[in-house]
């Protein structure tokens, strides 16, 4: 029997960790036409959860995520502080990652879907009529997975057959789709690829998925995480605080997969060979960067901004999972009630791989 209320972590507004409230009286959503109701088994923690909470997407913010991660920022513009550059509606249930089981269906959805173990595409296209380069982010423009139940479009909810735990599957939708999208946009093959932030959720996913494509992978990370990054497929690691050009040499890399941004971006372009490709999907090191534009045009570089995802990205990931082509690294699992602790640990960057939240069982 589906209860009328549930436990959920509710974001009450932009700001610090105090804006997170774990409540036990949140109404269980009901699936509309074309939607499923999912009992959440686990939900991964991602940088976007923190960026959304603190309003980091606002153009008023020029600092790196960690500067406001715990306390928020003194000044943001609510009108552009989301993925879609439109005001968010509070209270909001965040959580871009969802793994769970279908427990009810809306009108037009086959009842055979009930009981399936599923993951949900986090960059949803259904709600914007599948228009190119538009999407709603699960847990931003609509409620997400930091709850006992959530709803999602049936066509963007994928049954997965594998022996993974719910916690492992919950690592996939946001981090791995971001990584696969970057690799797909840059058409990565058997070439030399550098991944920044290589020990984090998206970075480690990019290392694994680039290696799957036959690439020679260089991971940029702190020295104490180098062994784990290599264990997941990196052929070489470089200290994130080192002189990257001095360590690797200019024009020695075919593709850069950048999740950090900030001051090092200029040097990343120096590393690229003529005709190289640069894909970016994050800026935890700061959204403002200075580059030498001559590196771009004199070397015929191609730059890819990577947010919108074509359908094949999540479809590819489901196929890789079911074929046993990789497995995520789960650093720690927390009860949903400890969401603030999980976000503090995430901000510390002391972990390798993914942090995951588990809601109470009904």
């Amino acid at each position: 029997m589906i209860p009328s209320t549930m436990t959920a972590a509710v974001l009450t507004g932009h700001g610090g960790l105090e804006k997170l409230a774990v409540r036990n009286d949140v109404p269980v959503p009901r699936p509309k036409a074309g939607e499923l109701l999912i009992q959440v088994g686990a939900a991964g923690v991602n940088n976007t959860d923190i960026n959304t909470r603190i309003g980091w997407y606002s153009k008023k913010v020029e600092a790196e995520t960690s500067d406001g991660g715990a306390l928020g920022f003194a000044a943001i513009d609510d009108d552009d502080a989301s993925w879609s550059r439109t005001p968010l509606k509070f209270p909001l249930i965040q959580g871009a990652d969802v793994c769970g089981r279908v427990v009810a269906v809306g009108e037009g959805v086959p009842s055979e879907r009930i009981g399936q173990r599923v993951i949900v595409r986090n960059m949803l296209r259904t709600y914007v009529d599948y228009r190119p380069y538009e999407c709603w982010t699960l847990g931003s423009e609509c409620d997400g997975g930091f709850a006992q139940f959530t709803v999602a479009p049936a066509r963007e909810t994928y049954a997965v057959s594998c022996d993974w735990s719910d916690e492992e599957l919950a690592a996939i939708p946001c981090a791995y789709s971001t990584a696969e999208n970057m690799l797909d946009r840059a058409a990565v093959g058997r070439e030399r690829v550098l991944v920044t932030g290589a020990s984090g959720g998206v970075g480690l996913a990019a290392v694994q998925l680039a290696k799957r494509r036959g690439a020679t992978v260089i991971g940029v990370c702190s020295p104490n995480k180098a062994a784990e990054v290599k264990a997941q497929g990196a052929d070489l690691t470089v200290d994130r605080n080192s002189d990257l050009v001095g360590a690797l040499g200019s024009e020695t890399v075919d593709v850069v997969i950048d999740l950090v941004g900030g001051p090092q971006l200029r040097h990343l372009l120096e590393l690229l060979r003529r005709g190289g490709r640069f894909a970016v999907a994050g800026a935890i090191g700061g959204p403002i960067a200075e580059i030498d534009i001559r590196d771009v045009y004199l070397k015929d570089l191609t730059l890819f901004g990577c947010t919108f995802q074509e359908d094949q990205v999540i479809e590819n990931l489901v196929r890789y999972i079911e074929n046993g082509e990789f497995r995520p690294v789960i650093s720690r699992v927390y009860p949903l009630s400890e969401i603030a602790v999980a976000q503090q640990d995430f901000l510390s960057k002391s972990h390798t791989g993914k942090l995951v939240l588990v809601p109470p069982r009904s």
Side-chain angles (χ1 to χ4, degrees):
M1 181 176 175
I2 298 170
S4 59
T5 59
M6 65 179 180
T7 299
V10 175
L11 182 66
T12 60
H14 293 299
L17 292 165
E18 78 284 352
K19 294 293 185 179
L20 294 169
V22 179
R23 291 173 23 195
N24 301 317
D25 59 352
V26 178
V28 172
R30 297 291 182 245
K32 299 176 183 176
E35 292 182 333
L36 305 167
L37 178 66
I38 300 165
Q39 183 170 11
V40 178
V45 178
N46 293 283
N47 211 70
T48 186
D49 305 321
I50 296 167
N51 284 342
T52 297
R53 171 172 58 77
I54 65 179
W56 179 87
Y57 296 110
S58 172
K59 288 285 191 177
K60 282 192 174 181
V61 178
E62 298 187 356
E64 57 188 271
T65 298
S66 60
D67 285 355
L71 302 176
F73 290 105
I76 66 167
D77 185 345
D78 288 342
D79 290 341
D80 71 343
S82 71
W83 277 87
S84 59
R85 300 292 190 192
T86 57
L88 294 180
K89 296 179 181 179
F90 300 106
L92 171 70
I93 299 171
Q94 292 186 276
D97 282 329
V98 171
C99 169
R101 292 193 179 273
V102 177
V103 293
V105 297
E107 182 183 349
V109 181
S111 60
E112 289 78 14
R113 297 217 58 179
I114 294 175
Q116 290 180 343
R117 191 166 70 139
V118 296
I119 59 174
V120 181
R121 175 184 189 163
N122 67 299
M123 307 302 285
L124 297 170
R125 301 185 65 193
T126 296
Y127 300 127
V128 291
D129 297 324
Y130 271 68
R131 292 187 294 269
Y133 295 103
E134 288 189 49
C135 55
W136 277 15
T137 304
L138 190 66
S140 178
E141 284 67 45
C142 58
D143 284 340
F146 292 159
Q148 289 179 295
F149 296 89
T150 192
V151 294
R155 69 186 297 187
E156 298 186 89
T157 300
Y158 295 81
V160 185
S161 177
C162 66
D163 64 354
W164 292 14
S165 67
D166 287 352
E167 291 81 0
E168 288 174 307
L169 276 177
I172 299 304
C174 185
Y176 279 80
S177 70
T178 300
E180 177 69 8
N181 189 44
M182 297 172 81
L183 298 168
D184 190 63
R185 291 274 194 97
V188 168
R190 296 181 179 277
E191 51 198 333
R192 205 162 192 237
V193 176
L194 181 138
V195 178
T196 65
S199 63
V202 182
L204 208 59
V207 169
Q208 292 176 321
L209 295 173
K211 195 64 181 176
R212 182 203 156 271
R213 290 169 176 251
T216 298
V217 182
I218 304 166
V220 181
C221 61
S222 58
N224 65 323
K225 298 176 183 175
E228 183 61 40
V229 173
K230 286 181 178 178
Q232 297 306 316
D235 299 277
L236 174 69
T237 59
V238 182
D239 185 343
R240 66 181 185 180
N241 295 315
S242 68
D243 173 2
L244 296 180
V245 177
L248 298 172
S250 62
E251 301 192 24
T252 57
V253 173
D254 299 295
V255 182
V256 167
I257 302 297
D258 186 29
L259 303 159
V260 177
Q264 73 170 354
L265 196 150
R266 175 174 183 168
H267 304 300
L268 297 174
L269 297 183
E270 290 182 56
L271 291 174
L272 284 168
R273 293 191 175 108
R274 294 178 183 274
R277 289 99 72 203
F278 176 90
V280 60
I284 60 172
I288 308 301
E290 180 183 82
I291 67 171
D292 186 336
I293 201 68
R294 291 167 295 190
D295 282 325
V296 178
Y297 76 84
L298 290 177
K299 294 199 295 182
D300 289 289
L301 302 183
T302 303
L303 276 58
F304 297 95
C306 303
T307 293
F308 174 81
Q309 298 172 10
E310 296 289 358
D311 296 355
Q312 73 264 16
V313 171
I314 186 69
E315 292 166 0
N316 285 346
L317 288 172
V318 172
R319 176 165 51 86
Y320 303 160
I321 293 167
E322 294 187 336
N323 289 343
E325 297 186 38
F326 72 92
R327 199 147 191 163
V329 174
I330 306 301
S331 178
R332 187 174 171 188
V333 177
Y334 306 77
L336 182 61
S337 59
E338 294 183 9
I339 184 172
V341 176
Q343 289 198 6
Q344 286 177 313
D345 288 350
F346 188 97
L347 286 164
S348 75
K349 302 300 179 188
S350 59
H351 64 285
T352 300
K354 290 285 291 184
L355 305 181
V356 178
L357 294 167
V358 175
R361 305 300 182 190
S362 297

